């Protein structure tokens, strides 16, 4: 589905144009065309491939979807894939933004995601002195917008970890739900990592050393995106490491709690064991059991039982079993 | 066993030829020969070695089998080994495809696998503009076919992990079977990793920097295979990491469940302990136990026992032991 | 908030100057300006950006805060971010010091931290032979001051680990509190690592190979800071590794203790079980139980029970269950 | 102890020679001398050092033994140390083969091992077209022979792991013996890894880039050894990873089994608790307990007890505790 | 404290000299001065700094102590820090040896350690053909002496691990002491690793590629030290890995033992439960319990109880619970 197709010259928008007219604008000096598609059909993409001379393998990737984040050079066309992440409760949905960046055109294809980038176009059009850098600047602006949306996600996951921590070290012992939440949190960090880490690796080709012509003028900006990705990556790694520790620590706490219960159990067993055993003695039916005939035999028995149980109780209290 | 032997010129098939005639076709300009063997006998391979001047060490590797995936250069002959994976329930069978790629020939030798590559030949013959690139393109097409068959395998393993997850966090506590499934899943990811990771490493020699002549023209295609391998590799790593977490988390859940049972045990021990102990008291045979003679002594005893047990029951309910 | 703004010439302070006068001093040969801000407002920073021609992206980073530690080159302006760490009990607060280092100026912006650097300025002014190296020396002096403050922090964490160790291997079994302390300790090492590790990586650009002009003369000093960072990093890694081992070892000890309690429980169960069972026998109401009529039947019963229990007791003592 | 000392010219054996005559043969063009020692005494080695001008530090290493596997260049003499592994039950014995490779000589010194290399010499002498490559070929042949003997060892360890797996997932719960076997298996993989991994690293100097003159002509062969080492290394890494998982999984199974026993224990406690408690009720000696006088009171009691126990039994069956 | 100060010329000792005379000897061709200090006071070091023109930052490091092992170049002065390790029971004490190596002097400063290096000087003086290499050779000799003292330490730790293993897999179950020993062993490997690993990294600058002039002639010797360090490092890594496995395995064994005890407990509970329950039945006071009047009722009861308990006992034996 076509969302937008416009021609820009010297940083300013010339006009919304027809797809068929793209070829004309590509000839004009200092001009470039910016096209945005959503969930493009093969036909739409093939038409644009013909107009913009897009590389075959990249077009297939864009159609096929489910690519890893990457930056690839095909001759003078840069092909970039970015992951668009949407945080459902307990799960992260992954869409894609594929961007073809030629010397005179930018084509973005958004797949399986409702995240819109109209704001990027609007902001770019308000800053013609930057848009003048051409397709490379647009590529930067899109990457920047995508990556900036990773930050709140990282923060949500960090917040969630803090809530789980509060559960773990709180008053109630953590149960199955806590473990499952830790597990699902870990899985989501994996999705996030698979969005950020490969991109961080590939983006290194766009600044510093030999860089493709389109982005030569915007290297500082691209480095800024790389810096954000580095920060996100470090946060994710910290998060993953902490989750792993939390899983271990939680197991320790559960085991400690088990131990405490086993101790109480042992204490009950001892106290009631003594009581029942003593009572059992005087429940025997021997004919010659002198104390049975004593006047205060019963009181004596009760006293003895009480004393024995009390002694055990105090002992277990002191060693912390009860 | 010879499967196929044909000569190609300028991207089009000339003829199916005899092995003995290979040498003639190797002389013709713009021609190359494509030979496919399955579970080749030493004799068959020696005949072809003589015809194609294959490097000795590579031929030994192909005969011996059980190689790791690799790309090796012997003079102007590229020797490539790929793993063919077949997913049996709970196990992955590993076969091999060894490919010799010379300037004018391609020889593939398939060992211990029923996976066929006739489709690759058919498709290549339908696209003479690509087959024109020569033996390097055939090598690419074979690698692409092999690697594409890894994707459904990764997906099967991911599906299986999701089923195990459903078991782990489901209503019934996971038992021995779940742990065994996790273990076998881990083992299979190792097989998959050993197929993909070394190949990803070695394939880097076939694009980008200085590359062997045969593949110089198909570098973009080879890079596409490398991209697929990177994706597969990342999926496997994610899978392995998640399995490791699942094993830990499962242990935590089992321990939590143990703790819950221990608590119920302790609660039973306390309740029945009180009951039996009290009953034991009045079962004693002392002569002077005034309450034994009371009109409502029995009711009083029953009431006391019931009250004590009920109090304990309520207490244990409240702290979550019952 | 402006803290300080002074001009230096040939290593000696000329005067405290107005922000508006900075531009004049930048023209003088051998002079540089050193400005220090705290929690700068956007307006303050924008004024200085105009005076010093600071790079836009770096200024945005300084305003935005929450950057990772880094060293970035923007043309001939070096932009450095350092983490200022403040050790609250059980938590480390993170502030930032952003430093812009141009050929003729240094601007430091301190955010969310009460750590002051007046001492650095005072010491530098007392050593004009070093301050003569210019802005690069000031950058070094600030980095050195920040990094030196990491050492006591590392030591505090190491001390805390030793206290926890004393708890773990002490007389009382470690409980929930010990595990929580280990967890919080681990978290703080993560904060420390995220302050030191990225800086160590980036600081490598400031000595050895091709280095920015400002710091060319102070490379040995910068290498000294890098050496300190390496030392801190190694300490943190050792600490983290030891904490991980401590968590495992603590779990082992808890499990060992559980096992000891379970053994005592089994021993109680056996001893009282035998006692109660024997007493129960003679509590039966059969008419023909000859021993009930014996003269010393009761003594015999008591003796038998005592003997059985004593035998068990001795046995359990010997195998270490009691 | 001298095992062998022979001179070769143009790939063919000239004669078995005396140590004292070595120097003469070193002068002849296209000739080289191949000497083999076993558990050499310092004197023997010093004599050869004088004859062959061996580097001092390497000779000390060969005398001292207990070196790590390595390849070192001393001027135009290559010094190689290889580990000879012998699989005792539950342990791997480590011997060493030190090889000095000069432009005109090969000297191998075997220490603490009964593995013989006469077969290597015999095979080499049968292939003069290869032996013509000189000392470098002999070095290759020895390395190849040593490394090929690692394969059956890896397979033995893999077989042993499979047996342990069968134990772990078999009918009987794995006990102490299984854990000890896993531990000893892990230790042996460490020995194997320390034999293969450093050699794989160092062998890279003998092919590909700038290589010592002796091995320049046999690079393809050396690369073949490196390929074998890579394969062995990958197998070992897979093995170690699987052992680690097996240890974890085994712990999970033991914990699951514990849980099952605890459940049966709790179930017993409940069933016998109810029974004993009810029987205890009617064992009380109150005077007014009407049901004691009922005609079918006893049957009623038996019925009630049976019913209660059966209900519990059924309940525990259903939730899987019995 | 000054230990030694001597001048050497052409490999031979000229004389013990005064500190004040050092400057004179530095002028003579082919001469160098070798000074050794122990726990030097700032004053002593400042005097030598003036004489030898030592770099300021290095002198501060030497005074300050607690440096990581390292090799740093300051102009034509090499500054080396080595850790001196002393094995106290259950702990490793760390001292330091700082070595300044100039073109014409060597100055060693030993801190917090009683390890002496007089032997190194004596041996060097006996080998003038080596000492002729100058200060670089002395540096090598000191490094070699320090590193060689790491070997017995590694062996002690390995021996200790073997003792702990014997405990773990021995007859008695490992208790708290075993776990604590494993933990302390792990900590000591960390100290050892922090002594060896950074040195191994830095020493790479002293051989192979571009090396400082002082050590150019002794590169083979330095490489030999590096080789020793590599060996030590590999041993430590193996040790650490094995300790980690031992901790896990120990936990498994403890858990297995717990399980065995829980089974015995469950078996006792069942056997005594049946006995007590049956005896309780006939202890009830119903009037109409025909078996109570039987002639052999009591024997019948005893027989039934014995049979039930024996059946259970045999059953538990068979399944391994008793």
């Amino acid at each position: 589905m076509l969302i937008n197709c416009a021609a820009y010259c010297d940083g300013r928008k010339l006009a919304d144009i027809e797809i068929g007219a793209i070829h004309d604008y590509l000839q004009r000096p200092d001009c470039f065309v910016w096209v945005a598609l959503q969930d493009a059909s093969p036909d739409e993409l093939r038409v644009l491939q013909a107009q913009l001379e897009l590389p075959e393998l990249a077009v297939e990737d864009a159609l096929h979807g489910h690519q890893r984040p990457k930056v690839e050079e095909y001759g003078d066309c840069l092909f970039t894939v970015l992951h668009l992440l949407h945080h459902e409760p307990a799960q992260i949905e992954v869409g894609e933004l594929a961007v073809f960046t030629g010397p005179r055109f930018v084509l973005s294809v958004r797949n399986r995601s409702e995240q819109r980038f109209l704001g990027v176009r609007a902001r770019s059009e308000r800053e013609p002195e930057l848009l003048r850098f051409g397709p490379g600047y647009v590529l930067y602006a899109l990457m920047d917008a995508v990556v900036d949306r990773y930050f709140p996600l990282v923060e949500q996951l960090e917040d969630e970890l803090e809530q789980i921590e509060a559960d773990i070290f709180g008053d109630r012992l953590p149960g199955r739900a806590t473990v499952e939440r830790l597990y699902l949190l870990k899985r989501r960090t994996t999705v996030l990592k698979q969005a950020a880490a490969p991109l961080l690796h590939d983006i290194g080709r766009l600044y510093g050393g030999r860089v493709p012509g389109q982005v030569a003028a915007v290297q500082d900006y691209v480095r800024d995106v790389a810096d954000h990705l580095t920060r996100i990556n470090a946060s994710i790694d910290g998060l993953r490491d902490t989750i792993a520790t939390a899983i271990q620590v939680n197991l320790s706490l559960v085991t400690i709690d088990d131990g405490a219960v086993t101790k109480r159990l042992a204490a009950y067993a001892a106290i009631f064991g003594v009581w029942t055993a003593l009572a059992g003695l005087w429940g025997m039916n021997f004919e010659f059991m002198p104390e049975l005939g004593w006047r205060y035999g019963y009181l004596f028995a009760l006293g003895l039982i009480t004393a024995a149980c009390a002694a055990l109780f105090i002992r277990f209290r002191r060693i912390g079993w009860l």
Side-chain angles (χ1 to χ4, degrees), chain A:
Chain A
M1 185 171 64
L2 181 70
I3 295 185
N4 238 316
C5 179
Y8 296 82
C9 197
D10 209 26
R12 286 176 200 289
K13 182 168 175 177
L14 287 184
D16 286 313
I17 63 176
E18 293 294 310
I19 296 242
I22 288 174
H23 196 74
D24 302 340
Y25 284 90
L26 293 184
Q27 313 304 332
R28 301 204 196 171
D30 290 326
C31 280
F32 73 92
V33 176
W34 181 353
V35 193
L37 298 178
Q38 180 184 356
D39 296 309
S41 68
D43 288 349
E44 286 174 319
L45 212 46
R46 289 300 171 192
V47 169
L48 278 157
Q49 181 180 14
Q51 289 279 332
L52 301 170
E53 296 174 25
L54 303 176
E56 174 61 21
L57 287 166
V59 169
E60 276 170 23
D61 278 356
L63 278 172
H64 202 275
H66 299 284
Q67 301 298 307
R68 67 182 183 93
K70 63 183 172 184
V71 178
E72 285 179 340
E73 278 184 79
Y74 290 92
D76 62 357
C77 178
L78 267 179
F79 178 61
T80 311
V81 177
L82 306 163
H83 277 191
L84 304 173
L85 305 179
H86 181 66
H87 199 187
E88 308 281 343
Q91 202 178 332
I92 294 178
E93 295 292 331
V94 181
E96 279 164 25
L97 184 70
V99 187
F100 298 82
T101 318
R104 293 289 178 86
F105 67 86
V106 178
L107 163 62
S108 70
V109 185
R110 170 154 56 92
N111 282 321
R112 291 168 296 117
S113 170
E114 287 309 306
Q115 290 187 17
R116 309 173 76 86
F117 294 92
L118 293 176
V120 173
R121 190 181 288 260
R123 201 169 340 107
S124 299
E125 290 177 358
R126 283 198 305 274
E127 302 182 322
E129 74 283 6
L130 294 174
L131 197 50
R132 187 172 293 140
F133 288 129
Y137 180 77
V138 175
L139 173 62
Y140 151 72
L142 288 169
M143 289 199 298
D144 191 49
V146 168
V147 169
D148 269 0
R149 289 172 189 176
Y150 294 169
F151 281 106
L153 236 145
V154 172
E155 277 159 33
Q156 279 178 45
L157 297 186
E158 284 175 341
D159 287 354
E160 201 169 324
L161 179 59
E162 283 185 18
Q163 287 171 28
I164 299 177
E165 277 174 9
D167 275 15
I168 291 177
F169 298 113
D171 287 340
R172 291 185 66 85
L173 191 77
R176 295 176 65 83
T178 304
V179 176
E180 185 167 5
R181 280 172 73 195
L182 278 170
Y183 181 80
L184 293 178
L185 190 59
K186 180 85 183 293
R187 288 216 82 165
R188 274 171 290 160
T189 62
T190 302
V191 174
L192 201 47
K193 187 156 190 65
Q194 287 179 344
L199 189 58
L200 179 56
H201 178 265
D202 276 23
I203 212 174
R205 292 185 208 141
L206 300 189
Y207 68 91
R210 187 204 71 80
V211 300
Q214 298 94 308
V215 293
V218 294
Q219 288 189 52
D220 276 359
Y221 292 90
V222 173
R223 189 180 60 181
D224 200 52
V225 175
D227 181 51
H228 292 178
L229 278 169
T230 307
R231 195 138 49 97
I232 286 165
N233 232 20
S235 297
I236 299 172
D237 286 345
L239 200 53
R240 289 168 67 84
D241 183 52
T242 307
I243 292 171
T245 309
I247 290 175
Q248 279 191 302
V249 152
N250 190 35
L251 179 60
S252 293
L253 291 179
V254 168
T255 306
I256 287 175
D257 185 71
D258 265 31
V261 173
T262 308
K263 281 168 183 160
R264 300 184 82 159
L265 177 57
Y268 293 155
I271 290 175
F272 292 124
V274 158
W275 181 341
T276 305
L278 285 173
L281 275 189
W282 291 300
M284 293 193 295
N285 297 320
F286 289 96
E287 283 177 27
F288 302 96
M289 294 174 70
E291 66 268 42
L292 294 185
W294 294 354
R295 185 73 187 91
Y296 296 105
Y298 181 40
L299 278 184
F300 163 76
L302 286 183
L304 194 70
I305 288 173
T306 308
C309 291
L312 280 176
F313 185 82
I314 289 165
R315 167 109 204 267
F316 289 132
R317 260 286 148 97
R318 199 165 298 154
I319 62 172
W321 288 24
L322 276 177

